[in-house]
RNA sequence: GGGCCGUUAGCUCAGUAGGUAGAGCACCGGACUUUUAAUCCGGGUGUCGAAGGUUCGAUCCCUUCACGGCUCACCA
C-alpha cells in the first residue's frame, strides 16, 4: 500500500468519524442497527473499500433479462454474462452460497452467489452487505432447481451503502404518514405505488399526444399573478422584493390563456399547477395539476365531443381498456356518454321538478328537506346547484355530462341563448367525481364586468380581500375575443379514477403535510 | 374548522382491570452450497407521541397539546 492509499484511507476514516458524530449529535439517537452499520462502514473503509461508489456500466435492465429468458429451462446455460445494477431487497443465506433479490427500476431478479464461483474474499465481502445496499453485479443467467430465473454472480461492486434499515419485507410500509413523508421508502418497498405514478405519467403523455395531435399549442403563463382570477378560491399570497409588489400564486391560468386567444392563438393548452389556499381533504391538495385548453370558434358542445374523445384516448393509453373499476364500482367509458341539463338531471335522478319559475320558498323548502344548509341571501341558481350536488352528483358513476349551469355560479361562461338564468356550461362526472368543467366562453367585456362586479358584491368578507377585478383582462377583451370553447380537467382526480385511488395524496408524489415538530 | 379514531422496537402489530412491556420480520452471534417470507440454535435493541394531573407507583386513568387517518364543511 503506497502513501497515496494510506492518506485516502485516513481521509475516509476522518470522514466517517465526522459522519458518525453527525448522526450521534444531530439526529435522533442512532438505533442499534444503524450504529452497527456505521461500525461496518468504518471497517470497510479501513480495508480500502469505497462504500459510496461512482458509475457502474450496466448493460441490461432486469425486465429485459426476464423477457429474453422467459423460456430458459433448468440446466440450460444462457451463455452470456450481463451487468445489472440495483438495490438488494432480501437475503437468503446458506453458508457457502447466498441467494438475494436485486431490484432495479424495471423489476426484481434473484442473484445466486456462491463462494466457489466468486472466491473467498469477495464472498466474505458480499456476506457483509445489507438489505438496502446498491450493488452492481456481473454474471450469467440460469434457472435454479426450483425454476427461478437467476443470475450466477461472477463479480460484484458495492455502489452505495444503506446505513438506515429498510421497512419490513412482508408487510411493507403501511403507515400512511410515513409513506407520504418518506415517499422514497414507499417506492422502494411497495411496488404498486410506482405503478400508480407510471400510470399518471402515461396519462399526461397521452393528454399531450392527443392535444398536440389536434393542433393545440402548449403554453406557459404566469404562476405569479398580481390579480388571481379564473376561479373562486382563496389564493396564496407572496411578495416580490425588488418591485415591492404583492403577488398571488395562480388559482387558475384561465384569464391568461384567454388573452392568448385574443392575441390570435387558435388552440392553446396549459398543463398547469395551480394553488388554492383552502382545506385539505382526500380530494384536495393545496397545489394540484389541471389542464386548461381553449379552442377559438367553438362552443361547449364541441368541447363535450372533444372531452369524450380525450378521456377515452387517455384510458386506452393507460388502462388499455374502456372498463374501469373505481371504489368497487364498474365504470364503462364505451359508447356515447349521457348528457343531461342540470334541471333535467334533478328531475330524472331526484324526481324533483324545479326551475327558475319555482318560488324561493319552495326552493328553500326542498333544500331544507334535503338537509342542505342554504344562505337565505343566496340566489335561486346557487340553491338549484346545491340541490343538484346533493341529489344527483353522487349518482353519476358512469361518465355523464351535466349541461347548462346557473349564471350566478358561472361568471366566465356565456349566457344561454334560451334562458337568461343559465349559461352554456357543462361539467363531466365520472365515478361521482367532477372531472371537467367547460363552457362557451363569455366574450362580451361589458357583460364580463357586470359578472365580475356581481361576484365581488356577493362574495364574503374573506373572498373580498382578493376580489379585485382584473381590468387588464377586460381591456384585452375589448379588443375583441373570438367565440371560444374552454375547459379545465383535474388531472389528479382523473388519475385517481384511472388508478382506483381513494385519496388525491396517493396520486401526488409529495403531498403537502405539516412539517414534523 | 367540526366529529370519530389512532400514535408501543427500524417495520407490521399485540399487551398491561395501574406494579416501567412482547411477537413476527429486520438486526447481532453461530450452523448450513439451489433458497423463495429459506431453515435451525442463541441474543430485545424501547423516552410505550409530548407536557401536566390523580396515585405509593402511570405506557395504561384524567386534562391539554402535537402529528396523522377517516369523515363532514369549503372548494376542483
Amino acid at each position: 500500500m503506497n502513501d497515496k492509499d494510506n492518506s485516502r484511507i485516513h481521509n475516509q476514516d476522518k470522514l466517517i468519524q465526522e459522519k458518525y458524530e453527525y448522526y450521534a449529535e444531530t439526529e435522533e439517537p442512532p438505533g442499534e442497527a444503524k450504529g452497527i452499520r456505521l461500525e461496518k462502514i468504518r471497517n470497510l473503509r479501513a480495508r480500502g473499500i469505497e462504500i459510496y461508489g461512482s458509475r457502474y456500466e450496466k448493460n441490461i435492465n432486469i425486465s429485459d433479462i426476464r423477457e429474453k429468458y422467459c423460456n430458459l429451462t433448468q440446466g440450460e446455460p444462457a451463455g452470456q454474462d450481463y451487468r445489472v445494477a440495483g438495490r438488494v431487497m432480501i437475503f437468503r443465506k446458506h453458508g457457502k452460497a447466498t441467494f438475494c433479490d436485486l431490484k432495479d427500476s424495471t423489476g426484481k431478479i434473484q442473484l445466486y452467489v456462491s463462494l466457489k464461483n466468486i472466491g473467498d474474499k469477495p464472498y466474505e465481502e458480499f456476506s457483509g452487505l445489507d438489505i438496502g445496499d446498491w450493488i452492481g453485479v456481473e454474471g450469467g443467467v440460469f434457472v435454479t432447481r426450483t425454476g427461478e430465473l437467476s443470475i450466477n454472480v461472477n463479480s460484484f461492486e458495492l455502489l452505495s451503502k444503506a446505513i438506515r434499515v429498510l421497512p419490513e419485507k412482508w408487510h411493507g410500509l403501511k403507515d400512511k404518514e410515513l409513506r407520504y413523508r418518506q415517499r422514497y421508502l414507499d417506492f422502494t418497498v411497495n411496488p404498486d405505488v410506482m405503478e400508480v405514478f407510471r400510470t399518471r405519467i402515461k396519462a399526461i403523455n397521452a393528454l399531450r399526444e392527443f392535444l398536440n395531435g389536434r393542433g393545440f399549442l402548449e403554453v406557459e403563463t404566469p404562476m405569479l399573478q398580481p390579480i388571481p382570477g379564473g376561479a373562486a378560491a382563496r389564493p396564496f399570497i407572496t411578495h416580490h422584493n425588488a418591485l415591492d409588489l404583492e403577488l398571488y400564486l395562480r388559482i387558475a391560468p384561465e384569464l391568461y390563456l384567454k388573452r392568448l386567444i385574443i392575441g390570435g392563438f387558435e388552440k392553446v393548452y396549459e398543463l398547469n399547477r395551480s394553488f388554492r389556499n383552502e382545506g385539505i381533504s382526500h380530494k384536495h391538495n393545496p397545489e394540484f395539476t389541471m389542464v386548461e385548453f381553449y379552442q377559438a370558434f367553438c362552443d361547449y358542445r364541441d368541447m363535450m365531443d372533444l372531452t369524450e374523445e380525450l378521456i377515452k384516448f387517455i384510458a386506452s393509453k393507460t388502462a388499455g381498456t374502456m372498463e374501469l373499476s373505481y371504489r368497487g364500482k364498474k365504470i364503462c367509458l364505451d359508447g356515447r356518454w349521457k348528457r343531461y341539463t342540470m334541471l333535467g338531471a334533478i328531475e330524472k335522478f331526484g324526481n324533483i321538478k324545479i326551475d327558475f319559475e319555482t318560488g324561493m320558498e319552495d326552493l328553500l323548502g326542498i333544500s331544507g328537506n334535503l338537509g342542505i344548509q342554504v344562505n337565505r341571501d343566496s340566489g335561486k341558481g346557487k340553491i338549484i346547484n346545491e340541490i343538484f350536488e346533493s341529489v344527483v352528483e353522487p349518482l353519476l358513476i358512469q361518465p355523464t355530462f351535466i349541461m347548462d349551469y346557473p349564471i350566478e355560479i358561472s361568471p366566465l361562461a356565456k349566457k344561454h341563448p334560451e334562458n337568461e338564468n343559465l349559461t352554456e356550461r357543462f361539467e363531466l362526472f365520472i365515478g361521482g367525481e367532477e372531472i371537467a368543467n367547460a363552457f362557451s366562453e363569455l366574450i362580451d367585456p361589458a357583460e364580463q364586468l357586470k359578472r365580475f362586479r356581481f361576484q365581488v358584491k356577493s362574495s364574503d368578507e374573506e373572498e373580498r380581500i382578493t376580489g379585485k377585478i382584473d381590468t387588464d383582462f377586460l381591456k384585452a377583451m375589448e379588443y375583441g375575443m373570438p367565440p371560444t370553447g374552454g375547459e379545465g380537467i383535474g388531472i389528479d382526480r382523473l388519475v385517481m379514477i384511472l388508478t382506483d385511488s381513494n385519496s388525491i395524496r396517493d396520486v401526488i408524489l409529495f403531498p403537502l403535510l405539516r412539517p414534523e415538530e
Side-chain angles (χ1 to χ4, degrees):
Chain A
M1 195 177 282
N2 59 33
D3 286 354
K4 205 175 143 200
D5 285 342
N6 262 324
S7 83
R8 205 180 88 220
I9 288 168
H10 176 75
N11 285 338
Q12 284 171 350
D13 243 5
K14 212 175 129 204
L15 206 111
I16 199 61
Q17 181 67 40
E18 284 163 6
K19 216 165 205 169
Y20 196 95
E21 282 164 9
Y22 168 78
Y23 285 115
E25 287 170 20
T26 64
E27 297 217 327
E28 73 268 31
E32 195 200 15
K34 199 162 72 180
I36 287 163
R37 289 199 182 184
L38 287 166
E39 201 57 47
K40 212 178 228 177
I41 290 168
R42 244 199 270 223
N43 293 336
L44 287 170
R45 282 195 148 141
R47 291 161 57 190
I49 296 167
E50 178 51 61
I51 58 158
Y52 297 121
S54 46
R55 66 193 298 276
Y56 187 82
E57 207 160 301
K58 61 178 259 186
N59 57 23
I60 194 164
N61 290 325
I62 286 171
S63 65
D64 294 330
I65 292 180
R66 288 203 167 281
E67 198 174 316
K68 202 163 173 177
Y69 295 103
C70 61
N71 292 321
L72 194 68
T73 57
Q74 200 219 318
E76 183 187 350
Q80 190 187 346
D81 276 9
Y82 292 104
R83 290 165 67 86
V84 299
R87 179 170 240 159
V88 176
M89 297 306 290
I90 191 169
F91 284 105
R92 291 179 289 279
K93 295 184 179 179
H94 293 260
K96 296 188 178 67
T98 294
F99 293 95
C100 76
D101 291 346
L102 188 74
K103 182 187 167 199
D104 74 4
S105 68
T106 68
K108 262 198 238 181
I109 194 161
Q110 173 170 272
L111 305 181
Y112 175 69
V113 183
S114 70
L115 183 141
K116 192 175 152 199
N117 199 35
I118 66 167
D120 289 357
K121 197 157 176 279
Y123 190 79
E124 190 201 327
E125 282 172 16
F126 192 87
S127 300
L129 292 178
D130 292 298
I131 289 174
D133 289 353
W134 292 87
I135 60 172
V137 305
E138 182 170 355
V141 178
F142 76 111
V143 173
T144 64
R145 201 154 65 192
T146 49
E148 180 79 23
L149 190 69
S150 307
I151 294 173
N152 188 10
V153 175
N154 294 327
S155 66
F156 82 98
E157 211 174 292
L158 175 58
L159 302 178
S160 190
K161 190 82 193 156
I163 57 172
R164 286 184 187 259
V165 183
L166 284 185
E168 207 218 352
K169 61 184 176 185
W170 188 242
H171 298 93
L173 188 65
K174 281 189 170 173
D175 186 304
K176 288 204 173 176
E177 184 178 355
L178 286 180
R179 288 181 47 206
Y180 299 141
R181 283 195 197 282
Q182 295 181 274
R183 190 64 105 171
Y184 44 91
L185 291 181
D186 199 16
F187 283 125
T188 301
V189 303
N190 299 331
D192 294 350
V193 179
M194 203 177 265
E195 272 317 297
V196 167
F197 286 96
R198 285 184 196 279
T199 299
R200 182 179 176 118
I201 290 159
K202 278 189 208 160
I204 286 170
N205 285 342
L207 173 79
R208 284 201 166 101
E209 186 185 339
F210 181 89
L211 290 175
N212 291 343
R214 298 290 177 112
F216 283 84
L217 302 180
E218 181 168 10
V219 297
E220 293 168 281
T221 65
M223 290 172 61
L224 292 174
Q225 304 181 348
I227 298 172
R234 300 180 65 191
F236 286 90
I237 304 170
T238 186
H239 185 262
H240 188 274
N241 289 339
L243 295 178
D244 187 21
L245 186 64
E246 190 101 308
L247 288 169
Y248 304 87
L249 299 190
R250 71 171 162 210
I251 54 175
E254 175 145 353
L255 302 188
Y256 286 90
L257 293 173
K258 284 179 176 171
R259 283 171 169 94
L260 294 178
I261 296 290
I262 291 166
F265 285 93
E266 231 173 277
K267 299 178 182 179
V268 292
Y269 73 98
E270 181 164 11
L271 187 61
N272 68 94
R273 192 80 59 87
S274 287
F275 307 83
R276 298 188 183 176
N277 202 345
E278 290 174 357
I280 294 174
S281 79
H282 68 108
K283 283 197 274 184
H284 301 86
N285 195 59
E287 51 181 306
F288 64 104
T289 303
M290 64 166 160
V291 62
E292 280 197 10
F293 47 98
Y294 293 81
Q295 181 166 6
F297 315 121
C298 287
D299 69 5
Y300 75 142
R301 289 171 197 280
D302 299 309
M303 300 314 273
M304 262 186 275
D305 296 337
L306 189 69
T307 304
E308 197 168 328
E309 282 179 64
L310 169 62
I311 304 280
K312 284 175 179 172
F313 182 78
I314 291 174
S316 72
K317 290 280 182 173
T318 54
T321 166
M322 291 296 120
E323 305 280 336
L324 302 176
S325 172
Y326 182 62
R327 295 186 173 174
K329 293 186 173 115
K330 288 262 173 281
I331 292 171
C332 182
L333 302 178
D334 261 333
R336 191 177 149 84
W337 297 351
K338 290 271 194 313
R339 301 179 180 192
Y340 302 104
T341 63
M342 179 181 277
L343 292 171
I346 292 172
E347 185 175 355
K348 181 179 168 67
F349 292 93
N351 202 21
I352 299 170
K353 196 162 167 51
I354 48 173
D355 57 29
F356 286 86
E357 305 306 314
T358 308
M360 194 62 180
E361 289 307 316
D362 289 341
L363 286 177
L364 288 172
I366 290 165
S367 53
N369 288 341
L370 292 165
I372 301 167
Q373 300 274 334
V374 180
N375 187 340
R376 284 192 80 89
D377 301 332
S378 298
K380 287 183 182 177
K382 194 152 186 174
I383 296 171
I384 289 170
N385 184 54
E386 296 278 344
I387 293 171
F388 166 78
E389 287 182 358
S390 167
V391 171
V392 184
E393 234 185 70
L395 303 176
L396 301 178
I397 305 302
Q398 301 309 317
T400 309
F401 291 107
I402 299 296
M403 303 153 55
D404 303 346
Y405 275 61
I407 196 164
E408 66 189 272
I409 58 164
S410 312
L412 297 159
K414 186 179 183 177
K415 196 181 285 184
H416 198 285
E418 286 158 26
N419 187 336
E420 59 170 12
N421 295 305
L422 298 175
T423 54
E424 289 196 341
R425 171 184 175 185
F426 75 81
E427 290 194 356
L428 169 67
F429 294 86
I430 303 177
E433 308 280 356
E434 181 196 330
I435 296 299
N437 178 21
F439 19 92
S440 305
E441 300 295 339
L442 175 57
I443 59 172
D444 171 351
E447 170 76 7
Q448 184 68 78
L449 175 62
K450 223 169 83 186
R451 303 270 198 96
F452 277 157
R453 282 191 174 141
F454 176 76
Q455 285 307 114
V456 172
K457 202 178 96 216
S458 62
S459 60
D460 63 28
E461 195 65 36
E462 279 177 340
E463 284 168 351
R464 212 167 302 149
I465 294 167
T466 54
K468 299 177 205 161
I469 290 174
D470 191 340
T471 50
D472 181 70
F473 170 65
L474 290 170
K475 179 175 161 188
M477 210 184 255
E478 284 166 16
Y479 286 94
M481 175 169 169
T484 301
E487 176 164 345
I489 296 178
I491 297 298
D492 310 290
R493 299 242 177 117
L494 180 61
V495 174
M496 282 170 69
I497 288 171
L498 292 170
T499 57
D500 196 9
S501 298
N502 271 317
S503 168
I504 196 167
R505 292 182 158 186
D506 292 328
V507 300
I508 291 174
L509 287 171
F510 299 100
L512 183 70
L513 296 176
R514 203 182 288 272
E516 285 179 291
E517 292 164 356

